């Protein structure tokens, strides 16, 4: 009986202590300082990589904004990662005009075209001989929508070379869109073709293609477009972010490579660099949310790394709709040897979300993330921005804050009545146990059964 009473007392003490000292639901969350530009009612920031890494919700639903009094403030979250068109892109042929080499004339050679009333181009001089051709002028004035890519269909049986791409709206002022590589080569029964020049939603009227390793014969050129209202957010103004994938490792089967993203990134590009030069292999990219979910196909492509006169040619990043899964794998067709020895280097790319909030209350403002129990409390941007042409100023996510720096000021103890009741019950329980112990001591020990 004494032992039973002691156990009961310990159990009561443990349960009441646990109830009184329950941990905070946000004890595992992280806070970041926010740097605000000037003074305004609204601020907008681009969600940086550390916030994605700290998030425990695929939709950033655990993100919160706090003011200096540790009060929540309203915010909206717009993810341009929904950048993949809701409708399939369309393709249309475009006209192009051969040019002499751009580099030989410092970009000042006559283009040999005239501009029609509708902005379309017409040839004004004879086409230069193939030996004198080093560039091409592409007319996009009739393209309808935002431009996804230019598809240059090479007429040669085999071609490998680089091309510099410049854009213009008036044929006088040109801006560089960078360099890329085109490839057409036979491999067994397959033809390996890389003919796509990504334009990332830009809308120039004209493109100039400067062939850095010799101009190929061109069979035709198509432009790939999507309607301007097919994207929820314009991604051209939101640069894609990149980071190396985490924990790349060989799987249990030959030709299987596993990696993780370690964050809630809305991945829409995966760059796979092969371990050895002069490698061509077909592979499928798959993903899943966790170890219990089945793998699902995300993209398939012929991956390559080939040496050429202009340097190495590598496959373009794999493109697909935004995917927030954290577990990924590459499955390689091993019939031609796969990747050989070594393992690939993998990088993931995504368009970061834009977060807009109301600067209610006094600074400093902070961003909290990492509490998996929270659901999203974001409102639409249209509902958040009210008034006549509200000014939205930029904000930036700063350094991670230590726990001591984010502890809120002492507030009213709303749990005091509950705590008093619990401790009162504990005192009564101890008193009852004391009475039982006193009676047992007075009776001279444990009572005996009457049958003894």
């Amino acid at each position: 009986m004494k032992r039973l009473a002691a156990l009961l007392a310990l159990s009561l003490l443990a349960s009441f202590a646990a109830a009184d000292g329950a941990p905070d639901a946000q004890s595992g969350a992280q806070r970041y300082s926010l740097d605000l530009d000037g003074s305004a009612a609204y601020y907008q920031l681009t969600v940086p990589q550390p916030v994605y890494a700290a998030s425990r919700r695929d939709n950033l639903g655990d993100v919160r904004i706090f003011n200096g009094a540790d009060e929540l403030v309203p915010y909206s979250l717009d993810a341009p990662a929904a950048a993949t068109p809701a409708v399939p892109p369309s393709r249309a042929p475009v006209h192009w005009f051969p040019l002499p080499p751009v580099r030989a004339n410092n970009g000042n050679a006559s283009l040999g075209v005239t501009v029609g009333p509708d902005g379309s181009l017409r040839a004004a001089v004879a086409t230069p001989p193939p030996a004198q051709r080093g560039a091409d002028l592409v007319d996009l004035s009739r393209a309808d929508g935002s431009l996804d890519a230019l598809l240059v269909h090479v007429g040669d049986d085999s071609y490998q070379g680089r091309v510099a791409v410049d854009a213009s709206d008036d044929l006088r002022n040109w801006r560089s869109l960078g360099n890329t590589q085109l490839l057409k080569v036979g491999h067994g029964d397959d033809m390996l073709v890389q003919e796509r020049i990504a334009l990332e939603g830009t809308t120039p009227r004209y493109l100039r293609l400067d062939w850095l390793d010799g101009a190929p014969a061109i069979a035709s050129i198509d432009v790939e477009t999507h309607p301007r209202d097919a994207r929820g957010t314009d991604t051209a103004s939101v640069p894609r972010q990149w980071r190396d994938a985490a924990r790349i490792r060989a799987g249990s089967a030959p030709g299987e490579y596993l990696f993780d993203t370690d964050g809630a990134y809305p991945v829409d590009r995966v760059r796979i660099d092969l371990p050895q030069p002069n490698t061509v292999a077909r592979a499928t990219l798959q993903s899943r949310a966790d170890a219990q979910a089945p793998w699902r196909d995300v993209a398939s492509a012929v991956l390559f790394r080939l040496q050429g006169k202009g340097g190495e040619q590598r496959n373009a990043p794999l493109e697909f709709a935004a995917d927030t899964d954290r577990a990924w794998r590459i499955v390689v067709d091993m019939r031609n040897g796969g990747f050989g020895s070594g393992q690939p280097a993998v990088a993931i790319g995504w368009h970061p979300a834009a977060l807009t909030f109301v600067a209610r209350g006094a600074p400093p403002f902070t961003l909290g993330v990492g509490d998996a129990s929270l659901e999203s409390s974001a409102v639409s941007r249209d509902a958040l921005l009210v008034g006549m042409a509200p000014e939205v100023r930029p904000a930036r996510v700063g350094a991670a804050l230590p726990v001591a720096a984010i502890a809120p000021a002492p507030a009213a103890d709303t749990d005091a009545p509950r705590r008093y009741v619990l401790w009162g019950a504990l005192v009564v329980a101890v008193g009852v146990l004391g009475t039982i112990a006193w009676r047992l001591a007075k009776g001279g020990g444990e009572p005996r059964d009457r049958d003894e």
Side-chain angles (χ1 to χ4, degrees):
M1 186 68 179
K2 290 180 180 179
R3 287 192 298 270
L4 178 60
L7 289 173
L8 180 59
L10 290 174
S11 175
L12 286 169
L13 284 169
S15 62
F16 285 122
D20 184 52
D24 185 1
Q26 290 192 359
S27 60
Q30 177 65 61
R31 289 280 187 95
Y32 295 89
S33 64
L34 293 180
D35 301 324
L36 309 185
D37 183 3
S39 177
Y42 293 98
Y43 291 89
Q44 180 173 301
L45 60 91
T46 299
V47 178
Q49 183 269 328
V51 173
Y52 278 105
S55 177
R56 296 295 175 264
R57 307 287 296 189
D58 291 343
N59 61 350
L60 297 179
D62 53 347
V63 167
R64 296 292 188 272
I65 302 295
F66 301 88
N67 62 19
D70 215 51
E71 299 172 334
L72 293 171
V73 300
Y75 71 97
S76 68
L77 194 62
D78 300 295
T84 302
V87 296
S90 60
R91 292 183 180 181
V94 294
H95 296 291
W96 77 98
F97 303 85
L99 301 176
V102 174
R103 290 161 293 162
N105 299 280
N106 295 319
N108 297 319
S110 172
L111 299 177
V113 296
T114 60
V115 182
D118 60 353
S120 61
L121 303 181
R122 296 177 177 86
V125 298
T127 300
Q132 298 180 15
R133 170 174 161 258
D136 289 283
L137 178 64
V138 182
D139 182 6
L140 300 177
S141 60
R142 296 185 178 180
D144 185 16
S146 295
L147 310 182
D148 286 337
L150 197 70
L151 304 175
V152 181
H153 305 297
V154 175
D156 294 325
D157 292 335
S158 177
Y159 177 79
Q160 183 176 351
R162 297 166 298 157
V163 59
V165 184
D166 297 291
S168 176
D169 294 319
D170 57 10
L171 297 179
R172 292 186 297 272
N173 301 297
W174 295 88
R175 61 187 183 276
S176 174
L177 299 183
N179 295 357
T180 189
Q181 302 184 51
L182 298 188
L183 177 70
K184 182 179 180 182
V185 62
H187 177 69
D189 296 331
D190 295 328
M191 180 63 71
L192 183 60
V193 177
Q194 165 55 33
E195 59 183 13
R196 193 172 192 271
I197 300 176
L199 300 177
E200 295 289 345
T202 56
T203 56
R205 294 174 69 87
Y206 314 106
L207 288 181
R208 187 174 62 194
L209 308 180
D210 183 17
W211 302 102
L212 304 180
D213 300 314
I218 297 178
S220 62
I221 299 179
D222 293 335
V223 64
E224 186 178 276
T225 64
H226 67 269
R228 287 186 174 87
D229 59 353
R231 295 179 189 265
T233 305
D234 182 14
T235 61
S237 61
V238 185
R240 181 175 284 106
Q241 296 184 2
W242 289 89
R243 73 179 293 267
D244 292 337
R247 295 190 297 276
I248 302 172
R249 57 205 183 276
S252 57
E256 180 185 58
Y257 302 90
L258 307 174
F259 64 93
D260 302 293
T261 62
D262 277 356
Y265 308 98
V267 178
D268 65 351
R269 298 288 188 277
V270 169
R271 186 172 60 233
I272 303 174
D273 293 327
L274 305 186
Q276 296 187 63
N278 296 329
T279 301
V280 178
R282 184 174 295 277
T284 299
L285 181 67
Q286 300 176 329
S287 75
R288 62 182 180 182
D290 52 53
Q292 285 68 47
W295 292 105
R296 59 182 184 84
D297 292 348
V298 175
S300 296
V302 175
L303 307 180
F304 58 89
R305 178 182 172 188
L306 301 172
Q307 291 178 330
K309 59 183 179 180
E312 280 197 343
Q313 296 259 6
R314 297 172 183 257
N315 55 272
L318 276 62
E319 304 180 9
F320 43 86
D323 186 334
T324 57
D325 286 347
R326 299 182 183 230
W328 296 72
R329 76 173 176 178
I330 304 167
V331 180
V332 183
D333 186 343
M334 295 297 292
R335 287 177 292 181
N336 291 318
F339 293 167
S341 61
Q343 60 185 30
V346 180
I348 59 174
W350 70 96
H351 279 298
L355 187 151
T356 307
F357 66 93
V358 184
R360 183 186 65 200
F365 289 88
T366 58
L367 182 150
V369 64
D371 184 353
S373 66
L374 296 179
E375 297 287 348
S376 177
S377 62
V379 299
S380 70
R381 198 168 189 269
D382 290 340
L384 187 73
L385 299 180
V386 296
M388 296 294 292
E391 179 187 17
V392 181
R393 299 188 66 87
R396 291 164 297 278
V397 175
L401 299 175
V403 176
I406 63 175
D413 189 359
T414 57
D415 284 340
R418 173 174 169 269
R419 186 178 295 108
Y420 296 150
V421 171
L422 291 174
W423 281 106
L426 177 60
V427 170
V428 171
V430 172
V432 171
L433 292 173
T435 302
I436 293 174
W438 177 78
R439 288 181 177 179
L440 290 174
K442 184 178 179 181
E446 297 279 359
R448 297 181 180 179
D449 292 336
R450 295 180 180 180
D451 293 338
E452 291 185 358

